[in-house]
DNA sequence: CCGTATCCAAAGAGATACTG
DNA sequence: CAGTATCTCTTTGGATACGG
């Protein structure tokens, strides 16, 4: 893979690219929910009180496009769709843990 | 302080509160720039290519309101304003490091 | 059940001109 | 220099309604 070569950006430029992937308003919350394991669409929706169907679908699509979550469809009636984290997605756990730790100390 | 008591929220609810503080589109980039030390308004602006004056001012105000950055004004002509991280702000360094590490491995 | 489509309101973001 | 004011455009949110 040729595009795999690392851009040696200094400064926040590269951070901005990263934040396009995980900086969406609901991304971190969704990933957090999925850390505990596979979830269905409606389970995720219930787990995140203020999200709405449209935004959840949109964010899940974004995360799937970036290979952070995997979407599995089962041909049942009614349909079942499951989401879980990829390896890439699971590696975001330290990020969330650090955010959470900081928040526990400072936000409440 | 009475409101200091810890809300024992499970789930992403508390994450949402945290993200109101540091989840702004430019917050992480600004904090990243300030980790290397005190900066003036225009220095920060130049360090973050796609930000504009209004958004930088707005985010800096938000971060100052949450005591993540300190704003120091010097009565010079033309005026000098310096920003740096508070202790609380400096403690976000692990968060940024984890984001950065993840990005190095997966975004490029 | 799992979404997409639509409409509308509200908030956020961008560009640029202007002031102490 | 360090912002604010203003105007415009995009994104988000909320409420359904509808299809596979």
């Amino acid at each position: 893979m040729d595009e795999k070569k690392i851009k040696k950006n200094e400064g926040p430029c590269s951070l901005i690219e990263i934040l396009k992937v995980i900086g969406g308003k609901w991304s971190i919350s969704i990933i957090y929910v999925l850390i505990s394991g596979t979830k269905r669409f409606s389970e995720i929706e219930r787990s995140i009180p203020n999200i709405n169907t449209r935004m959840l679908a949109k964010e899940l699509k974004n995360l799937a496009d970036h290979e952070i979550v995997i979407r599995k469809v089962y041909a049942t009636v009614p349909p079942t769709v499951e989401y879980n984290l990829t390896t890439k997605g699971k590696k975001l756990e330290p990020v969330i843990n650090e955010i959470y730790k900081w928040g526990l100390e400072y936000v409440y």
Side-chain angles (χ1 to χ4, degrees), chain A:
Chain A
M1 298 189 183
D2 229 336
E3 79 260 57
K4 186 77 190 268
K5 67 183 167 195
I6 294 184
K7 290 186 216 147
K8 199 57 177 134
N9 284 337
E10 283 110 46
C13 312
S14 45
L15 268 175
I16 292 170
E17 291 308 309
I18 299 167
L19 294 171
K20 280 180 191 165
V21 182
I22 55 163
K25 179 166 179 184
W26 301 104
S27 312
I28 294 289
S29 299
I30 293 169
I31 295 163
Y32 176 84
V33 169
L34 290 175
I35 282 174
S36 58
T38 301
K39 295 274 180 306
R40 299 180 63 173
F41 187 92
S42 52
E43 290 181 286
I44 303 172
E45 196 168 18
R46 276 193 304 276
S47 301
I48 306 177
N50 292 311
I51 204 168
N52 62 46
T53 312
R54 198 174 61 96
M55 292 312 294
L56 178 56
K58 209 171 169 183
E59 271 298 347
L60 280 170
K61 187 164 168 29
N62 179 54
L63 294 173
D65 288 347
H66 287 97
E67 296 176 298
I68 288 167
V69 306
I70 293 172
R71 180 173 182 271
K72 264 187 233 157
V73 184
Y74 299 93
T76 54
V77 178
T80 301
V81 182
E82 284 182 351
Y83 293 89
N84 54 33
L85 295 177
T86 61
T87 305
K88 180 175 173 182
K90 284 184 186 124
K91 291 245 180 128
L92 281 165
E93 194 170 353
V95 172
I96 292 177
N97 285 338
E98 288 298 335
I99 292 174
Y100 206 83
K101 269 165 54 185
W102 182 84
L104 279 181
E105 193 168 355
Y106 286 113
V107 176
Y108 302 107

